[in-house]
Amino acid sequence: MSVDTSLALTIDGRASAEAPLPHVWSVCLGAGRANEALRADWQSHFREAVGSLGARYVRFHGLFHDDMFVYRASNGGGFGPPTPLTAPVYTFAYVDKVFDAILAAGARPFVELGFMPRELATQTETLFWWKAHCSPPTDMAAWVELVTATVEHWIERYGLDEVRTWPFEVWNEPNLVPHFWTGTRTEYFQLYEATARAIKAIDPSLKVGGPSSSVFVPDSRYDGEYHDKSVEAATAEATDPDALPWKPVWIHELIAYCAERELPLDFLSTHLYPTDYAFDTQGVGRSISRDRDATRSDLEVMRQVIARSPYPHAELHITEWSTSPSSRDNMHDTVYAATYIARAFLQCHSLADSISYWTFTDVFEEGGGGIGPFHGGFGFVNEQGIHKPTFHAMAMLNRLGDRIALQTEHGIITRTSEDAVAAVFFNYPDSMGSRSIGGATRYVQTHRLAGEGPDRHIAHTVTGLRPGDAYAVETLDLEHGNVAEAWHRLGEPLNLSPRQVADLAAIADDLDRRSLTVSADGVLEIDITLAPWAVMSIAPRNP
């Protein structure tokens, strides 16, 4: 006779009252641009992100960029002027290679529709090293035809049922005028309207949303049609940025626009970097780091906005999130970032449908290739595929079950099956108070956090488990898996030899590994001390 052990699990002498644990951190991961996904190393890193980190979707820029050769209004031009075509031609060879690779890895695209093909752009200004065109189209009907042809191609290639699972996001950060969008807010809303109607005309079940706006701000810099830098001074010069009224950008306005015109809005998307960059009265830019709980606070606001809107059932997707929006922030390479993101994700698991970490790999060329193997890139892995501490933190989160048995300020215990558990604990040092980890323009600047403390004692008694089961205990801290520090001690070489790559990869994966065993009466005793900034995983050794 079998025993229902799901009723027997107790923790610290109390019966487990279980709630769902959505793995919002692994629903979607970010990447730079579509063309980078043609690279073998990008695809290798992505397969690992799917297999080890649980990634289910991936989002990137540049689907319609010229280096993907989707939109052709002319032909040739290699040794002479291009020849105009009588009508645009759409070719999907490069896009097909990218999407085939994503699906073959076991994931799906979170489709960002952008940027503008050069031959359809109203502006010649470009963004990034790879020269993205971020203007409204010269002909909205031509844009609609491009979007329609692309989506219909995907349905023909992959089937309608598959494409119905893909979210379609209109553009990226259009509030960042004139960088990601050279038009007005109204022109973006018109682009959204035309795109959303086109997608729903293909199939009403396809999901479309936006505005993919950039960060919360506490001022009115994006309230009007144009970005007015003069309103940023109070933000830049604030002595206590956390006391400012941080608010979403273009969210209320898009909701109102869509409701007035009865437009579809299946999901709201925005980006929640816990930072800001504002200009003072002298025109000097200042980087502002908000408190450690800023992401949770912003998500709570977003949930309230959606609940009170004409679209109360709209999903909420945070389509970019990281400790900062800089791809040259050396904090990204550290254990400090790993602890920060583990804490933030566990705080926010019930507040969004996805929180997409930006990005899963350092194969990322907005500012060109990175200078050196640890240059502060966003990735969980560097360009050589070496695991950063953030990779291990995400792998630990991925091992968690889908039901919460106990959650505290310093970790979580989950049920992975009827008679097994998995846990993650961390030590975000008490001496940090409400401070975030901030940023660093050079690696050595990250050392300012090394002296924070104290240690943290974690003790829990879990009963109702299967006697004799072995649990793997894995700890990341400043002494284990701290690969950027090892690189720093080598003298920060810019060009690694094959031997150095192998040695650093071994250090990156050399976590403190131990084991625990469930006693004969089904008890697992967890009694550990975590050093400052440590992140620990406890999971069944043979799940």
Side-chain angles (χ1 to χ4, degrees), residues 330-367:
N330 288 88
M331 202 62 75
H332 292 312
D333 299 331
T334 68
V335 174
Y336 315 117
T339 312
Y340 182 92
I341 69 172
R343 181 182 184 276
F345 277 135
L346 288 176
Q347 274 192 331
C348 301
H349 58 72
S350 63
L351 295 173
D353 292 282
S354 72
I355 304 176
S356 179
Y357 190 85
W358 189 256
T359 60
F360 75 86
T361 176
D362 275 0
V363 177
F364 181 90
E365 298 175 342
E366 288 184 0

Side-chain angles (χ1 to χ4, degrees), residues 240-265:
D240 182 11
D242 294 322
L244 299 174
W246 298 91
K247 59 185 179 181
V249 174
W250 290 16
I251 297 295
H252 292 92
E253 294 86 351
L254 180 63
I255 290 172
Y257 185 93
C258 290
E260 180 182 348
R261 290 161 177 78
E262 298 184 342
L263 298 177
L265 190 58

Side-chain angles (χ1 to χ4, degrees), residues 329-334 336 437 439-451 478 482 484-485 533:
D329 181 352
N330 288 88
M331 202 62 75
H332 292 312
D333 299 331
T334 68
Y336 315 117
I437 59 174
T441 56
R442 293 184 300 125
Y443 176 77
V444 70
Q445 293 175 349
T446 69
H447 286 169
R448 70 178 186 269
L449 299 177
L478 295 177
N482 194 0
E485 182 65 19
W533 303 111

Side-chain angles (χ1 to χ4, degrees), residues 287-455:
S287 180
I288 298 168
S289 180
R290 298 172 61 193
D291 72 85
R292 63 181 187 173
D293 297 327
T295 298
R296 179 175 63 185
S297 299
D298 291 350
L299 284 171
E300 289 171 345
V301 169
M302 284 296 302
R303 278 301 186 196
Q304 292 172 4
V305 169
I306 293 173
R308 297 169 182 170
S309 78
Y311 300 91
H313 303 296
E315 296 176 355
L316 174 58
H317 294 287
I318 306 307
T319 49
E320 289 185 25
W321 181 83
S322 184
T323 56
S324 82
S326 170
S327 61
R328 297 296 184 269
D329 181 352
N330 288 88
M331 202 62 75
H332 292 312
D333 299 331
T334 68
V335 174
Y336 315 117
T339 312
Y340 182 92
I341 69 172
R343 181 182 184 276
F345 277 135
L346 288 176
Q347 274 192 331
C348 301
H349 58 72
S350 63
L351 295 173
D353 292 282
S354 72
I355 304 176
S356 179
Y357 190 85
W358 189 256
T359 60
F360 75 86
T361 176
D362 275 0
V363 177
F364 181 90
E365 298 175 342
E366 288 184 0
I371 299 176
F374 295 97
H375 56 268
F378 294 112
F380 294 134
V381 299
N382 78 347
E383 292 173 355
Q384 289 82 17
I386 297 173
H387 298 152
K388 298 184 189 181
T390 51
F391 177 94
H392 293 295
M394 290 293 287
M396 292 177 183
L397 292 173
N398 185 46
R399 294 181 201 127
L400 292 172
D402 58 7
R403 287 172 288 167
I404 302 170
L406 175 71
Q407 184 164 8
T408 73
E409 176 66 17
H410 309 297
I412 193 168
I413 301 174
T414 66
R415 189 191 285 276
T416 61
S417 68
E418 295 306 326
D419 51 11
V421 294
V424 169
F425 302 107
F426 55 84
N427 183 358
Y428 193 92
D430 290 342
S431 61
M432 290 290 290
S434 63
R435 288 182 295 143
S436 179
I437 59 174
T441 56
R442 293 184 300 125
Y443 176 77
V444 70
Q445 293 175 349
T446 69
H447 286 169
R448 70 178 186 269
L449 299 177
E452 301 289 345
D455 291 352

